[in-house]
Amino acid sequence: MTPPSLFVRLSTPQDEPQLLAILERSFEDTWRPQLTDAAIAAYRNDRVAERFVAEHRPAFFVAQIDDWVAGFAHRDGGFVDALHVLPQARRRGVGRLLMDAVEAAMRADGIALAALETDTFNEASQGLYLALGYVEVARYPDEEWNSGLTTIRYEKSLAP
């Protein structure tokens, strides 16, 4: 049996349905259980996922395993704005490979410090970021979801 092929590429318009499905799965599995009913309604009514993909999709790094999209990442300058990996692709190097691509793009742009955020309840993401050399620099109220959550900010030097 041939091992699956895992690689990262830039997204294409044909990826949009899979990207939206990944965001939906991430929302349902990770975020929804932590949110108030009002935050859930606002997310749905404001079409947050659809607007995010429509606005940023051309800049997404997509992890592909054979012929399916396993996850994606997005950066805004030196800030990792999104990292989402399907549950069936976790613990297979997908998140690490996506972060490598994002960090390489930052270095190519001359960015010396990468930053990102996650919430305190998301222990899986914290474990990944710590394993990749990110260091916690701050904690503060998560104002995006208005659900009483706490955000952790991580940073990592990209200097050689």
Side-chain angles (χ1 to χ4, degrees), residues 7-15 18-19 57-64 66-73 97-98 101:
F7 59 95
V8 172
R9 61 175 173 76
L10 289 176
S11 71
T12 67
Q14 292 75 27
D15 295 324
Q18 292 178 348
L19 298 170
R57 197 257 334 128
F60 287 173
F61 290 94
V62 170
Q64 186 167 324
D66 292 332
D67 62 349
W68 58 281
V69 175
F72 73 92
L97 195 60
L98 284 165

Side-chain angles (χ1 to χ4, degrees), residues 16-80:
E16 190 168 323
Q18 292 178 348
L19 298 170
L20 289 169
I22 290 168
L23 282 173
E24 178 61 20
R25 183 70 185 264
S26 185
F27 179 77
E28 287 295 325
D29 293 351
T30 303
W31 291 98
R32 186 182 178 127
Q34 309 298 325
L35 301 177
T36 63
D37 290 342
I40 293 166
Y43 176 84
R44 296 284 189 221
N45 293 338
D46 293 344
R47 303 184 53 80
V48 172
E50 293 85 351
R51 289 187 304 112
F52 180 68
V53 171
E55 184 175 343
H56 300 290
R57 197 257 334 128
F60 287 173
F61 290 94
V62 170
Q64 186 167 324
I65 298 177
D66 292 332
D67 62 349
W68 58 281
V69 175
F72 73 92
H74 177 258
R75 73 174 178 113
D76 184 2
F79 187 78
V80 181

Side-chain angles (χ1 to χ4, degrees), residues 23 27 31 34-36 38-43 46-49 51-52 79-82 84 116-119 121 140-151:
L23 282 173
F27 179 77
W31 291 98
Q34 309 298 325
L35 301 177
T36 63
I40 293 166
Y43 176 84
D46 293 344
R47 303 184 53 80
V48 172
R51 289 187 304 112
F52 180 68
F79 187 78
V80 181
D81 193 34
H84 298 275
L116 55 85
E117 296 174 335
T118 192
D119 279 314
F121 72 85
Y140 37 85
D142 181 330
E143 296 178 359
E144 179 181 1
W145 293 106
N146 195 22
S147 292
L149 303 174
T150 301
T151 295

